Amino acid sequence: LDKRAVRVLIVMTATFCLWIVAMPLLGYVLVTLLATYAFCKALALEGWRKPLAVSGGTARFVYLLFGHWLYIDLPRGMLFE
């Protein structure tokens, strides 16, 4: 693996670990938004608008899918209860 691939692997692994740790505090949707943004930046998606659109769309889709269509409660986080 080259240096860039190792860096991407480390950033994505750290982001996933932080996603798991932060979920009880911040809630599933917000942490998913932040983690998806970090994944997009780690994978070199240009600018800030595209990663924000992808992460916002992903968070919205997950919220609609689980919260409204499947009626599965997602963790809201301690800050939002």
Side-chain angles (χ1 to χ4, degrees):
L1 294 171
D2 62 341
K3 288 184 180 184
R4 183 184 183 287
V6 171
R7 191 183 112 246
V8 168
L9 179 64
I10 290 170
V11 168
M12 293 188 82
T13 303
T15 300
F16 186 68
C17 291
L18 287 172
W19 180 75
I20 292 170
V21 170
M23 192 182 315
L25 181 64
L26 299 176
Y28 187 86
V29 175
L30 180 59
V31 173
T32 299
L33 177 103
L34 297 172
T36 307
Y37 186 84
F39 289 149
C40 288
K41 294 308 284 182
L43 294 173
L45 193 59
E46 58 194 35
W48 62 271
R49 289 182 182 159
K50 287 181 184 179
L52 190 61
V54 169
S55 61
T58 302
R60 178 176 283 152
F61 176 74
V62 166
Y63 176 75
L64 288 173
L65 176 67
F66 289 102
H68 290 283
W69 296 331
L70 298 176
Y71 300 107
I72 297 173
D73 289 331
L74 296 171
R76 292 185 185 163
M78 286 187 242
L79 295 180
F80 300 107
E81 287 185 353

